[in-house]
Amino acid sequence: MSDDTMTSVPAAIAVDAAGPDTTAERVGRFFDEKGDVLGDLMGGNVHFGYWLGPDDDSTFAEAADRLTDHMIDMLRPRPGDRVLDLGCGRGRPAVRLAQAAEVEVVGISVSRRDVAAATALARAEGVADRVTFRYADAMNPPFTAGSFDRVWAVESMLYMPDRLQVLRNIAALLRPGGRLALCDISETPPETAEDRAVLEGILREWEVHSLARFDDYPRLIAAAGLRLTDIVDVSDRTRYSPDRVVELFQRLVAGSGIPVESVDLPMELWDRSFAAFERMGYLIAAAERAG
């Protein structure tokens, strides 16, 4: 069996495409429609938080920034590096990276509204000279080979239709000695067929293409031509994120001023979604291209 055959389907749970649109179009439309309110609800980030324990009273924004800081540590940026933010969301992680290190960041997203919001944030934070964003698909990135020193993917791999292809793209974009850091939600196998069906429905609602297993990543990264340097299971630090988001959403429903109808995700779906995501794993990994 070839390496491609072994690694082309990395996820144990993959969700069938809903409708004729491409994955990029569906994901882009989802974040065009939901990104503003999700960003407002989650303190500017649209990714999980890193919690110090059940008694951690950090705000969601503080915990999410803490996760970004761990990603920065894994990325090991150097002054003057050019960094690709692959799936930049609303831009807060990229801006935080640029504030922490003297680097240039180029973020890409398939959501035009997120690109606009990220661009406005970079301008407001005074880093627009070093942080830019553009509409582009990570499956077919519009950059020349070897044009980045660092690449990171902050909770974006689960939306990609083929993780291996994205990792191969990253390997091609990295200069010799370049480094990748990514974080991803990983699968904990459902206990029953009914649990699996519920989870697949939830992932479809959120336009998540697939979940990978923790043990898939070393194989995928090697198949992409990269050398894995670090992989850490931080599930025990992120598992409090779903509960906190549900709490925040309940406050929103109680009258925080954010229009609930703009979210277009019923409270029951939020409850079911985060109950499911609470059972998921979470990993941070780093890899390098040979020098």
Side-chain angles (χ1 to χ4, degrees):
M1 184 179 293
S2 70
D3 285 345
D4 283 357
T5 303
M6 293 179 63
T7 57
S8 60
V9 185
I13 295 185
V15 181
D16 292 336
D21 293 346
T22 67
T23 298
E25 288 170 333
R26 293 196 309 275
V27 172
R29 184 164 55 247
F30 177 85
F31 283 102
D32 281 347
E33 295 172 356
K34 313 295 193 297
D36 288 348
V37 72
L38 288 172
D40 290 344
L41 176 64
M42 299 168 74
N45 289 295
V46 188
H47 64 71
F48 275 25
Y50 187 99
W51 306 91
L52 303 180
D55 298 325
D56 184 352
D57 61 357
S58 301
T59 66
F60 194 95
E62 290 168 341
D65 284 344
R66 191 181 294 132
L67 179 66
T68 300
D69 291 343
H70 278 274
M71 287 289 290
I72 294 172
D73 290 343
M74 293 288 269
L75 190 66
R76 300 179 190 171
R78 305 162 302 187
D81 275 350
R82 188 171 190 239
V83 181
L84 174 62
D85 182 353
L86 196 139
C88 61
R90 294 170 60 87
R92 187 176 175 93
V95 167
R96 191 170 181 85
L97 169 60
Q99 291 170 333
E102 290 296 321
V103 297
E104 174 193 354
V105 185
V106 179
I108 62 172
S109 172
V110 293
S111 166
R112 297 187 188 279
R113 285 186 66 87
D114 276 359
V115 169
T119 299
L121 178 65
R123 188 179 303 117
E125 293 292 324
V127 294
D129 59 325
R130 293 187 290 119
V131 182
T132 58
F133 302 93
R134 60 188 293 183
Y135 178 87
D137 185 354
M139 290 295 297
N140 187 28
F143 306 106
T144 59
S147 54
F148 292 93
D149 303 288
R150 298 285 189 269
V151 177
W152 78 355
V154 181
E155 220 171 280
S156 58
M157 296 295 286
L158 63 164
Y159 297 103
M160 306 298 175
D162 188 335
R163 280 179 174 83
L164 178 57
Q165 180 59 48
V166 173
L167 289 168
R168 283 175 169 161
N169 291 344
I170 290 169
L173 291 172
L174 282 171
R175 294 174 179 136
R179 187 170 175 86
L180 160 70
L182 65 85
C183 55
D184 199 0
I185 298 172
S186 57
E187 177 199 346
T188 300
E191 295 180 0
T192 67
E194 182 180 358
D195 289 340
R196 185 184 186 92
V198 170
L199 177 58
E200 288 177 350
I202 289 168
L203 298 181
R204 190 175 292 109
E205 290 280 355
W206 287 87
E207 293 296 347
V208 170
H209 185 273
S210 63
L211 297 176
R213 299 185 185 96
F214 183 91
D215 291 341
D216 286 331
Y217 263 101
R219 179 167 50 91
L220 286 168
I221 286 171
L226 297 168
R227 182 178 67 87
L228 182 70
T229 61
D230 303 277
I231 184 166
V232 184
D233 184 340
V234 295
S235 304
D236 61 334
R237 298 300 187 184
T238 60
R239 70 176 71 257
Y240 306 106
S241 296
D243 289 341
R244 298 299 178 88
V245 172
V246 168
E247 289 174 10
L248 289 168
F249 190 72
Q250 288 170 337
R251 291 177 200 163
L252 179 153
V253 172
S256 68
I258 301 174
V260 177
E261 61 272 15
S262 68
V263 184
D264 196 25
L265 292 171
M267 190 65 213
E268 306 79 57
L269 178 60
W270 284 80
D271 285 334
R272 288 189 292 112
S273 296
F274 287 108
F277 278 119
E278 190 175 27
R279 294 196 299 270
M280 297 297 98
Y282 202 99
L283 63 92
I284 300 177
E288 293 179 348
R289 180 182 170 183

